[in-house]
């Protein structure tokens, strides 16, 4: 057990999957906490896996806990993708594998968590995360009676109660860059290329990257579509623009036509759509973008957002708040009670948002939008 320090000591970690911008959040939290408030900072490796890990080894390559100090090369880290602390979604310990839901999981994690907090004299936790990992962290902190502040991150942009999460903007850039490359093959070979982007069961990433890439069709989980109307759209472009190459953006959660689930024979929505288009006589191919959307470098916006949310999360903790996230509302960093993040479903794309309206006005086929 570490000797009780006089200074406040917080732990920082990156919960859930990686995304661009996490290193800037870690830098902002750590440097501001150390330099402005004079706190000590402990970095937890591998997200929630690390927080319940072994605390007997510290500061080694295989240690789950490291001392953060101003000599760490933060100015190099912030330019890199991923998270220098490492990420982990599933808890590795065998005894945790049978739990049924997040609440059970959190209860099973509690003893190891409490031990680490006590042994390392941690007075509070600031963690980036999506709705799931922030729920778990808050559950643990509440029971261990230490403050918790979350910072939303996800390329899906589906965290409830915040308008934008760290990582989304860089992921949109990555999708647009990929589609700019794919465009040339579509054009050279006179093909329709169905590009599948991530987003879980929401269409934020597909809609934003699709509009920015001048896609002809954008399919998202929030709006059902029909193959017949995709074909109709492509045929009308052939006629009016004399163009025989197309970019079709599909969200990974878009499913099959008319809101049905994807047939088991298909591993991706892109494959399903391209097969159906092929059957309708259109030269089509599928391309699933995968992790290149998530693992890339953070763009300027994500770094700026991560820096702002990071320092404000530290201020919130200093002011004595707990169970809050530092998110964005009306374009401004805002403190939001964590319960409004964890209780709701993930945040679907608002069909009245400017990006959806713009797609419609540009004549992009986005599915069978209900007319009011
Ligand atoms: O939540 C981010 C995300 O990249 C989703 O878009 C995707 O569905 C999922 O994570 C993939 O998760 P994993 O890292 O477990 O493959």
């Amino acid at each position: 057990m570490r000797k009780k320090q006089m200074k406040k000591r917080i732990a920082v970690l990156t919960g859930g999957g990686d995304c661009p911008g996490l290193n800037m959040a870690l830098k902002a939290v750590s440097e501001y906490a150390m330099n402005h408030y004079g706190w000590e900072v402990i970095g937890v490796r591998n997200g929630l896996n690390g927080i319940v890990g072994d605390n007997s080894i510290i500061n080694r390559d295989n240690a789950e806990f490291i001392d953060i100090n101003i000599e760490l090369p933060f100015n190099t880290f912030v330019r890199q993708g991923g998270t220098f602390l490492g990420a982990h979604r599933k808890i590795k310990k065998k005894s945790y594998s049978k739990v049924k839901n997040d609440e059970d999981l959190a209860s099973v994690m509690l003893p190891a968590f409490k031990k680490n907090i006590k042994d390392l004299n941690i007075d509070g936790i600031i963690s980036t995360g999506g709705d799931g990992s922030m729920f778990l962290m808050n559950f643990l902190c509440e029971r261990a009676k230490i403050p918790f502040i979350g910072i939303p991150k996800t390329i899906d942009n589906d965290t409830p109660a915040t308008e934008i999460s760290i990582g989304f903007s860089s992921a949109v850039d990555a999708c647009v860059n990929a589609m700019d490359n794919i465009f040339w093959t579509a054009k050279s070979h006179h093909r329709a290329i169905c590009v599948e982007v991530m987003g879980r069961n929401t269409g934020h990433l597909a809609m934003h990257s699709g509009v920015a890439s001048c896609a002809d069709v954008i399919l998202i989980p929030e709006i059902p579509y029909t193959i017949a109307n995709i074909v109709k759209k492509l045929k009308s472009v052939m006629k009016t623009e004399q163009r025989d190459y197309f970019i079709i953006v599909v969200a990974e959660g878009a499913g099959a036509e008319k809101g049905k689930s994807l047939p088991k024979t298909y591993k991706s929505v892109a494959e399903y759509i391209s097969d159906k288009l092929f059957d309708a006589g259109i030269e089509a191919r599928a391309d699933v973008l995968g992790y290149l959307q998530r693992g890339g470098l953070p763009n300027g916006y994500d770094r700026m957002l991560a820096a702002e949310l990071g320092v404000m999360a530290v201020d919130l903790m200093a002011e004595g708040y707990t169970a809050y996230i530092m998110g964005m509302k009306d374009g401004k960093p805002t403190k939001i009670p964590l319960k409004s993040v964890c209780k709701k479903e993930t945040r679907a794309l608002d069909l009245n948002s400017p990006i959806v309206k713009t797609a419609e006005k540009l004549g992009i086929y986005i599915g069978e939008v209900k007319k009011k």
Side-chain angles (χ1 to χ4, degrees):
M1 190 186 295
R2 284 193 157 190
K3 235 174 89 200
K4 181 71 191 158
Q5 74 286 1
M6 296 307 287
K7 287 180 176 177
K8 187 180 177 90
R9 180 182 286 158
I10 61 163
V12 287
L13 63 134
T14 45
D18 72 312
C19 72
L22 295 179
N23 289 325
M24 179 60 101
L26 292 171
K27 171 195 156 84
V29 170
S30 306
E31 288 190 347
Y32 187 54
M34 291 186 292
N35 298 340
H36 183 78
Y37 287 106
W39 298 348
E40 291 180 342
V41 181
I42 294 202
V44 183
R45 288 222 176 96
N46 308 321
L48 291 155
N49 211 46
I51 201 75
V52 291
D54 175 8
N55 75 44
S56 62
I57 321 161
I58 293 207
N59 293 337
R60 300 244 189 90
D61 279 356
N62 62 344
E64 298 287 15
F65 298 92
I66 56 167
D67 286 314
I68 302 271
N69 59 60
I70 44 168
E71 278 158 33
L72 279 178
F74 275 119
N75 284 348
T76 309
F77 292 154
V78 296
R79 293 168 170 78
Q80 299 168 347
T83 153
F84 82 89
L85 282 179
H88 213 285
R89 275 207 212 279
K90 295 244 157 64
I91 310 297
K92 273 197 238 149
K93 287 193 179 182
K94 266 213 184 108
S95 53
Y96 296 177
S97 61
K98 289 199 182 104
V99 294
K100 289 189 208 83
N101 52 39
D102 277 356
E103 204 139 309
D104 282 356
L105 177 61
S107 307
V108 188
M109 289 166 75
L110 196 58
F113 177 77
K114 276 186 171 166
K115 179 176 183 329
N116 285 338
I117 296 305
K118 188 163 173 264
D119 289 358
L120 299 171
N121 293 314
I122 292 168
D123 301 307
I125 295 189
I126 299 184
S127 171
T128 58
D131 49 342
S133 57
M134 288 199 289
F135 166 82
L136 280 173
M137 274 314 308
N138 187 52
F139 182 99
L140 295 170
C141 289
E142 235 174 49
R143 270 111 193 124
K145 297 193 173 46
I146 60 160
F148 170 73
I149 304 292
I151 304 174
K153 65 85 219 174
T154 164
I155 65 160
D156 306 329
N157 210 27
D158 60 353
T159 313
T162 183
E163 284 158 7
I164 189 150
S165 296
I166 297 169
F168 175 64
S169 173
S170 305
V172 170
D173 283 358
C175 294
V176 171
N177 289 337
M179 285 189 250
D180 282 352
N181 290 351
I182 289 166
F183 171 85
W184 296 107
T185 299
K187 187 170 192 295
S188 304
H189 285 265
H190 317 281
R191 286 176 184 164
I193 303 195
C194 306
V195 185
E196 181 170 312
V197 305
M198 286 181 165
R200 275 205 292 186
N201 31 29
T202 64
H204 300 271
L205 192 53
M207 190 57 72
H208 285 80
S209 63
V211 169
S213 303
C214 300
D216 299 291
V217 174
I218 303 172
L219 305 176
I220 60 170
E222 291 86 344
I223 311 175
Y225 62 88
T226 68
I227 298 291
N229 281 340
I230 300 175
V231 173
K232 196 169 154 203
K233 166 69 189 172
L234 302 189
K235 293 213 162 138
S236 110
V237 172
M238 283 181 201
K239 204 165 155 203
T240 54
E241 295 180 33
Q242 303 290 303
R243 175 157 62 82
D244 58 1
Y245 52 92
F246 314 95
I247 296 285
I248 296 175
V249 180
V250 302
E252 64 178 345
E257 67 170 341
K258 297 177 185 158
K260 291 187 210 137
S261 353
L262 204 62
K264 291 224 162 49
T265 42
Y266 287 99
K267 284 216 170 90
S268 72
V269 187
E271 243 181 277
Y272 167 82
I273 305 280
S274 69
D275 270 11
K276 297 286 170 198
L277 293 182
F278 216 88
D279 294 346
I282 291 167
E283 172 81 5
R285 293 288 191 281
D287 203 335
V288 179
L289 293 188
Y291 296 110
L292 70 79
Q293 301 159 82
R294 210 167 91 191
L297 302 183
N299 68 9
Y301 179 82
D302 273 327
R303 291 191 212 177
M304 183 198 75
L305 181 66
E308 284 185 355
L309 299 185
V311 296
M312 292 188 191
V314 175
D315 281 338
L316 263 194
M317 182 156 283
E319 285 161 27
Y321 284 93
T322 183
Y324 270 79
I325 67 160
M326 187 41 90
M328 292 293 277
K329 243 184 179 167
D330 302 324
K332 289 195 200 111
T334 307
K335 61 174 189 297
I336 301 164
L338 193 72
K339 58 176 185 306
S340 57
V341 176
C342 296
K343 276 196 179 151
K344 290 185 194 153
E345 296 286 296
T346 51
R347 193 175 68 95
L349 179 62
D350 176 1
L351 301 187
N352 289 313
S353 60
I355 196 73
V356 176
K357 291 290 163 205
T358 302
E360 278 185 289
K361 287 177 183 169
L362 287 172
I364 300 171
Y365 176 68
I366 60 168
E368 305 302 301
V369 183
K370 278 195 195 123
K371 299 273 175 266
K372 279 191 188 150

